[in-house]
Amino acid sequence: MTAPLRVVLASASPARLQILRRAGIEPEVIVSHVDEDAVTAIRPVILAAMLAELKAQTVSQQLAGHEPVLVIGCDSVLEFEGAAYGKPASADEAIARWQAMRGRTGVLHTGHHVILRDRGVHQTTATGSTLVRFADLSDAEIRAYVATGEPLVVAGAFTIDGLGGPFIAGVDGDPHNVVGLSLPLLRNLLIELGISWPQLWSTPN
């Protein structure tokens, strides 16, 4: 293969796109439109991996005959008190979730599934997990944050790189994983597929 390799991000997440762009990669975005609510798993960490694989597989199938191409699928799930949480369905749900999470901890799991279509289909998967410590917010802060709309469009009802940043007391692990894509984990997956990270740079670095 010659650099740069064509890269496709199978995600609608603006945050994941920005992570890759800031790391020197300019991917195409093809949204999988999979029904995430139809997928279930016995553990949140497994659910994150399953959803990432489903997204990547769905987009990869659309690209058959357009090799070589690298497809990156990701999905994030918050594990809190043993249950899996994606995006809240309503503002009331987001408020209730934050009232339960404040002053406590959760684990943000992000599944990564990478598919290389190049003289065949080669793929690998892994999940990154980062402990998140939530600040002890007041009810007024929670309602104000939910009113911005941000918690309604992100897994776990929070961000660390947006308006929710001040409400996260800290993380243990890769912070990029909480945003939605772990660069070190992705690099390791690419090595498994025989791809050097600089092959993905869209411009000289």
Side-chain angles (χ1 to χ4, degrees):
M1 294 178 297
T2 59
L5 176 65
R6 179 188 180 193
V7 180
V8 172
L9 176 62
S11 172
S13 167
R16 293 190 181 107
L17 178 60
Q18 285 303 312
I19 288 174
L20 291 174
R21 282 178 169 170
R22 288 169 182 163
I25 300 169
E26 188 64 43
E28 301 173 40
V29 174
I30 300 179
V31 182
S32 63
H33 298 295
V34 301
D35 183 4
E36 298 181 18
D37 294 333
V39 182
T40 59
I42 58 174
R43 295 173 56 201
V45 66
I46 297 175
L47 178 62
M50 290 174 59
L51 289 170
E53 180 176 0
L54 181 59
K55 290 181 177 181
Q57 293 281 11
T58 300
V59 171
S60 174
Q61 291 168 8
Q62 299 175 26
L63 296 172
H66 295 274
E67 294 84 355
V69 60
L70 181 76
V71 180
I72 302 171
C74 296
D75 198 87
S76 298
V77 173
L78 175 69
E79 180 176 356
F80 181 72
E81 295 186 326
Y85 294 96
K87 301 171 185 175
S90 66
D92 287 342
E93 181 178 322
I95 290 171
R97 191 180 299 179
W98 260 101
Q99 288 174 334
M101 296 189 307
R102 59 184 169 189
R104 304 181 69 182
T105 62
V107 179
L108 199 289
H109 303 289
T110 297
H112 301 64
H113 193 85
V114 182
I115 301 174
L116 174 63
R117 302 189 70 99
D118 183 31
R119 302 175 188 174
V121 178
H122 316 276
Q123 53 193 315
T124 185
T125 189
T127 301
S129 300
T130 304
L131 181 74
V132 180
R133 298 189 298 275
F134 299 103
D136 191 6
L137 275 64
S138 66
D139 284 344
E141 287 176 311
I142 291 173
R143 292 185 180 280
Y145 180 40
V146 172
T148 68
E150 183 181 84
L152 301 177
V153 295
V154 289
F158 73 94
T159 67
I160 64 170
D161 61 334
L163 296 176
F167 308 135
I168 305 302
V171 301
D172 295 332
D174 180 7
H176 281 115
N177 189 67
V178 181
V179 179
L181 190 153
S182 170
L183 293 174
L185 188 152
L186 178 59
R187 174 179 171 270
N188 289 336
L189 293 179
L190 295 178
I191 290 172
E192 290 182 27
L193 296 176
I195 299 172
S196 169
W197 186 270
Q199 285 182 259
L200 305 187
W201 284 335
S202 57
T203 56
N205 282 265

